[in-house]
Amino acid sequence: MKPDSSKKRMIINMLANSVSYGTTLIISFVLTPYLINTLGKDAYSFYPLSNNIISYISILINGLNIMSSRYITISLSKNDIDEANTYFSSMFFSNIFIVLITIIPMVLIVVFINQILSVPVNLIASVRTLFSFSFASLIVNIIFANYGIATFAKNRIDLRSIQDFILSIIRIILIVFFFTIFPSNIAYIGIIAFIITILMAIFQYIFTRKLTPELKLNIKKFNILYVKEVFISGIWNSLNTLGNILLASTTLILVNIYYGSSAAGEYSIVQIVPNFINGLISMLTGVFFPMIMINFARSDTVELMKSLKKAQSIVGTVAVTVIGLFIGFSSLFFHLWVPKENSNSLFILSTITILPHILIGCMWPLNSLNIAMNKIKLPAIFLIITGFLNIIISYICFKYFDFGLISLVITSTVLQIIWIGIFMPNYASKNLNIKYTFFYPLIIKVLLCGFLSFFIALMVVHIFYIDNWIVFIFLGSLSGIISLFINSIIIIGYREILEFLKIKNYQ
């Protein structure tokens, strides 16, 4: 692919991803307070809890399928169709076997859900239904996991974004239908998720047939040696994911167990914005991930470093702008968004929770590099250790001290900062054979930009009287444009921005 063609494809993917994610964000922004008010925050808290538990069960599956994507993409990049089909077929039938195994813990969790979590008696049936359909969605995702590779391998992330946009619209229609026609019930969220998963599987199957017609499912292509190869790499990626979940996503479950469903409901509200920002970072990083993988497969070190630098600069700039502005506006935001809740408490908890994401924004592309290079063993070990440290320290704080749930949030935040701010840049420097200080100038720029965005938001809040969404959105958007402009010049550089925007037509 020519440089201009590659650049144009990347911008198309980024714009498509941004529109798709922006639509999802707006829908979630409108629906979340509606669901909290309709269901109550206690019942609503079981929605993110179900997602967290599913993430635990799907750790191994996701780890294997991410590495499966790596091997299939590399095979297609080398034009080795036979090898690509062997990986494709081997992993598909392996996923079927995994489904048969994971059904057992799924059933046990549904049956004993009120003994695993703190569930109010009047919600037990609804929560069981929620988890049943959530697990059914997981099963469909596992079976069709390999069919999601086509858009990645061919760098057609824009098609995946169109899919997500359509599914977001369908999701909102289904939610309005269920919650207006029938009495409010948290179980509907699981039913809707299952319907959306079925539709997504259909999309992925169509994309695979259109983009990679050379990939054909064949039981005769099943090769246990290929499964073993993917499994060895995938197990470390799974442990990497497990560590990440223990470190960043366990807090909500611990809050439910230690402090009850009411406190978990409050913390589930706090987690909404960090989850949006996580999605934003993953969405933007996903634009660059295929190019990082393809350049690595082609042994093109120069283009690989260019893709990595662009990813870190662009993702870091957007993420830190959003984070800095949110912290500055957050107390006012929560007051307008969920007026019945304690906005000051939500401000404190959300600020602590969101701080690591300032560094995650610019450092997360390094995780894509680790996957491309198959250098995930040491990160997995480090994350597992810090993940268990998070649980141990949280338990000690709950058992022997009376700090409240804020101690759990602070523990997770500090350990995440150590992981993403110290371990990740040093490990990447070692793998790339560059100076250990290589990534720290970027980190310093990002921290500076985070403070500048926060300062701009703070000034706006103190100068203007904001008492409704229209004024909030207008001033927030204006602050965002100013912050993004300043931060882009500091982090990306004026010349680099102009160079990036110069795109020639296809020849």
Side-chain angles (χ1 to χ4, degrees):
M1 185 180 290
K2 296 179 180 179
D4 289 324
S5 301
S6 175
K7 190 189 297 182
K8 189 169 184 177
R9 170 56 54 200
M10 182 176 64
I11 292 178
I12 291 172
N13 288 345
M14 188 177 297
L15 289 174
N17 261 13
S18 299
V19 171
S20 172
Y21 187 73
T23 304
T24 303
L25 184 65
I26 292 170
I27 290 172
S28 299
F29 173 77
V30 174
L31 283 179
T32 299
Y34 168 76
L35 292 175
I36 292 172
N37 292 330
T38 303
L39 299 168
K41 68 179 183 181
D42 287 23
Y44 175 80
S45 70
F46 290 100
Y47 172 44
L49 274 171
S50 66
N51 289 335
N52 284 357
I53 290 177
I54 284 175
S55 67
Y56 285 118
I57 295 177
S58 59
I59 286 170
L60 177 62
I61 301 105
N62 290 339
L64 290 174
N65 286 306
I66 288 173
M67 297 313 294
S68 173
S69 298
R70 174 189 184 273
Y71 286 106
I72 293 173
T73 300
I74 289 174
S75 298
L76 290 174
S77 297
K78 296 188 299 184
N79 202 31
D80 192 337
I81 307 303
D82 184 67
E83 183 180 71
N85 275 307
T86 303
Y87 279 118
F88 183 76
S89 298
S90 298
M91 292 312 302
F92 176 86
F93 292 108
S94 297
N95 285 337
I96 298 295
F97 177 73
I98 290 171
V99 164
L100 297 176
I101 296 175
T102 53
I103 284 177
I104 298 172
M106 291 178 193
V107 172
L108 291 175
I109 289 172
V110 170
V111 173
F112 297 104
I113 190 65
N114 58 317
Q115 297 179 36
I116 298 171
L117 298 173
S118 173
V119 184
V121 176
N122 63 311
L123 292 176
I124 292 176
S126 298
V127 171
R128 280 199 176 120
T129 306
L130 167 68
F131 274 80
S132 297
F133 277 97
S134 297
F135 287 144
S137 300
L138 175 60
I139 289 172
V140 175
N141 277 328
I142 294 172
I143 294 173
F144 284 89
N146 268 14
Y147 284 91
I149 293 172
T151 52
F152 177 85
K154 295 299 182 179
N155 197 19
R156 290 303 307 272
I157 307 301
D158 55 316
L159 292 178
R160 188 182 299 178
S161 299
I162 293 171
Q163 161 203 287
D164 293 342
F165 175 81
I166 294 172
L167 294 180
S168 294
I169 300 302
I170 295 174
R171 181 182 285 109
I172 186 67
I173 293 172
L174 290 173
I175 289 175
V176 170
F177 172 77
F178 276 98
F179 281 90
T180 54
I181 300 297
F182 306 104
S184 299
N185 195 316
I186 187 64
Y188 301 152
I189 301 296
I191 296 170
I192 292 167
F194 179 69
I195 295 171
I196 295 299
T197 302
I198 295 293
L199 294 175
M200 183 183 296
I202 294 171
F203 269 111
Q204 290 177 342
Y205 179 83
I206 293 171
F207 289 152
T208 300
R209 295 276 65 85
K210 294 292 184 181
L211 296 175
T212 54
E214 63 271 28
L215 289 179
K216 299 184 185 299
L217 197 62
N218 187 346
I219 186 64
K220 294 180 180 179
K221 286 287 184 180
F222 179 85
N223 190 321
I224 192 64
L225 295 178
Y226 280 67
V227 176
K228 181 180 178 181
E229 182 183 14
V230 175
F231 180 82
I232 292 172
S233 298
I235 195 66
W236 287 111
N237 197 41
S238 299
L239 290 173
N240 188 29
T241 304
L242 173 61
N244 197 5
I245 291 172
L246 292 174
L247 181 58
S249 302
T250 310
T251 306
L252 179 60
I253 295 176
L254 295 177
V255 170
N256 176 277
I257 294 171
Y258 294 159
Y259 300 102
S261 60
S262 181
E266 180 181 11
Y267 188 63
S268 67
I269 297 172
V270 169
Q271 279 199 317
I272 290 168
V273 174
N275 286 342
F276 285 159
I277 292 172
N278 269 334
L280 177 67
I281 292 170
S282 298
M283 179 271 291
L284 292 173
T285 303
V287 173
F288 296 93
F289 190 14
M291 288 310 302
I292 291 173
M293 183 73 76
I294 292 169
N295 288 327
F296 175 78
R298 295 172 177 170
S299 301
D300 193 338
T301 306
V302 174
E303 288 300 318
L304 175 65
M305 290 302 296
K306 284 182 179 179
S307 298
L308 182 62
K309 183 181 178 182
K310 284 179 183 176
Q312 288 190 282
S313 299
I314 294 174
V315 178
T317 300
V318 175
V320 77
T321 301
V322 174
I323 293 167
L325 289 173
F326 173 75
I327 294 174
F329 283 113
S330 60
S331 182
L332 185 59
F333 168 79
F334 284 120
H335 177 71
L336 291 172
W337 195 40
V338 280
K340 295 180 181 180
E341 305 298 327
N342 187 332
S343 59
N344 289 329
S345 174
L346 294 176
F347 161 70
I348 294 170
L349 291 173
S350 65
T351 299
I352 297 170
T353 303
I354 211 170
L355 283 176
H357 295 78
I358 295 175
L359 299 180
I360 291 173
C362 64
M363 291 293 113
W364 193 243
L366 296 180
N367 187 59
S368 301
L369 177 70
N370 292 340
I371 293 173
M373 300 178 72
N374 202 12
K375 298 282 188 178
I376 51 180
K377 181 177 179 179
L378 195 56
I381 294 172
F382 185 87
L383 267 176
I384 285 291
I385 293 172
T386 51
F388 279 111
L389 273 176
N390 179 43
I391 295 175
I392 293 168
I393 296 172
S394 296
Y395 175 77
I396 292 172
C397 290
F398 167 73
K399 188 73 175 178
Y400 300 104
F401 301 96
D402 191 23
F403 296 144
L405 70 87
I406 195 170
S407 62
L408 278 63
V409 181
I410 292 173
T411 299
S412 175
T413 292
V414 171
L415 290 173
Q416 285 184 73
I417 290 173
I418 293 172
W419 162 59
I420 201 71
I422 298 176
F423 174 82
M424 285 291 281
N426 282 279
Y427 184 69
S429 300
K430 178 179 179 294
N431 289 333
L432 294 169
N433 294 316
I434 55 181
K435 292 182 179 179
Y436 286 100
T437 56
F438 180 83
F439 294 104
Y440 284 97
L442 175 61
I443 290 176
I444 293 170
K445 289 180 181 179
V446 165
L447 293 174
L448 172 63
C449 290
F451 176 78
L452 287 173
S453 297
F454 169 73
F455 179 76
I456 289 171
L458 212 59
M459 290 296 293
V460 170
V461 169
H462 280 82
I463 292 173
F464 298 96
Y465 179 68
I466 306 172
D467 63 345
N468 61 73
W469 280 115
I470 295 175
V471 178
F472 181 88
I473 292 171
F474 174 76
L475 292 176
S477 301
L478 186 61
S479 302
I481 293 169
I482 295 170
S483 297
L484 188 61
F485 177 75
I486 296 172
N487 293 346
S488 296
I489 293 174
I490 294 174
I491 298 175
I492 302 174
Y494 182 70
R495 291 182 179 178
E496 285 77 6
I497 294 172
L498 292 178
E499 179 64 27
F500 180 74
L501 295 175
K502 290 178 182 177
I503 309 171
K504 298 178 182 178
N505 293 326
Y506 286 102
Q507 299 298 323

